[in-house]
Amino acid sequence: MAEIKVIRPRNYADPDAYAEAIRQGTVNALGHVGLIGRSLVVEAITETIPRSPIDTGLMRQGIGWEVDQERMSVRIGPQPPVYDRTSVMELGRRPGARRPPFNAILDWVHRKQIALKFLMGRVRQQKKERLMEQKKGKGGAKLKFGKKAVRKEVEIDLAILIVRSIARKGIKGRFFFKRALALLKEQIPAIYQRHLNRALKLSSSETRGRS
């Protein structure tokens, strides 16, 4: 365990000024910890699925930090409206749990154009089959998928399948907050010591100037 050393300068005659320097150094250190912690979490999210494209970007943008000066603590985590989604990505979802929101999955299917990719794959397959039929002299029917109504129906069907699959199999937790916190803990003692020494030095100079 790391040790934090607090050395009271000899010229500190005012105990209130000394206590205020300790408090200010702690607050500054907490802010620095929050800033670095947020960067580590965003980096962990990016490294979790390195080949995955950014969806809406809200999860990365929604990671924030806030210093509570009354409790002398810092909170690093997701901010509304991405809290629920981030918690599921962090901890996962156990098999057999409540189904995920259908509309959220449907929106994701639409954004990713999964239905269009699915239909295009069907078209390529049918082209091959139609070519084989034509070689046999039997012709072949074309698949029409250009209408939005058809794509919407496929999107709904795919969303239903995905929702059922998630409910049955669950989702594996990514634990990017856990990994980021492990890295952050190693840096906290040095950060706190640096800001504490700086605040004491600054306060000591101001105390000498007033005397």
Side-chain angles (χ1 to χ4, degrees), residues 71 122 176:
R71 297 184 177 181
R122 290 283 303 275
F176 35 75

Short mmCIF file of all heavy atoms in Angstrom, two decimals, residues 71 122 176:
data_model
loop_
_atom_site.label_atom_id
_atom_site.label_comp_id
_atom_site.label_asym_id
_atom_site.label_seq_id
_atom_site.Cartn_x
_atom_site.Cartn_y
_atom_site.Cartn_z
N ARG A 71 -17.98 15.34 1.01
CA ARG A 71 -17.54 13.98 1.34
C ARG A 71 -16.08 13.74 0.98
O ARG A 71 -15.54 12.68 1.26
CB ARG A 71 -18.41 12.96 0.61
CG ARG A 71 -19.88 13.01 1.01
CD ARG A 71 -20.66 11.91 0.32
NE ARG A 71 -22.05 11.89 0.74
CZ ARG A 71 -22.95 11.01 0.32
NH1 ARG A 71 -22.59 10.05 -0.52
NH2 ARG A 71 -24.20 11.07 0.75
N ARG A 122 -29.61 -11.83 -49.27
CA ARG A 122 -30.64 -12.69 -49.87
C ARG A 122 -30.68 -12.51 -51.38
O ARG A 122 -30.87 -13.48 -52.14
CB ARG A 122 -32.00 -12.35 -49.27
CG ARG A 122 -32.18 -12.76 -47.82
CD ARG A 122 -32.43 -14.26 -47.70
NE ARG A 122 -33.58 -14.67 -48.48
CZ ARG A 122 -34.84 -14.61 -48.06
NH1 ARG A 122 -35.10 -14.12 -46.85
NH2 ARG A 122 -35.83 -15.03 -48.82
N PHE A 176 -15.16 -2.50 -18.40
CA PHE A 176 -14.17 -1.47 -18.71
C PHE A 176 -13.95 -0.53 -17.53
O PHE A 176 -12.85 0.00 -17.34
CB PHE A 176 -14.55 -0.68 -19.95
CG PHE A 176 -16.01 -0.44 -20.15
CD1 PHE A 176 -16.70 0.49 -19.39
CD2 PHE A 176 -16.71 -1.16 -21.11
CE1 PHE A 176 -18.04 0.72 -19.60
CE2 PHE A 176 -18.07 -0.94 -21.31
CZ PHE A 176 -18.73 0.00 -20.55
#
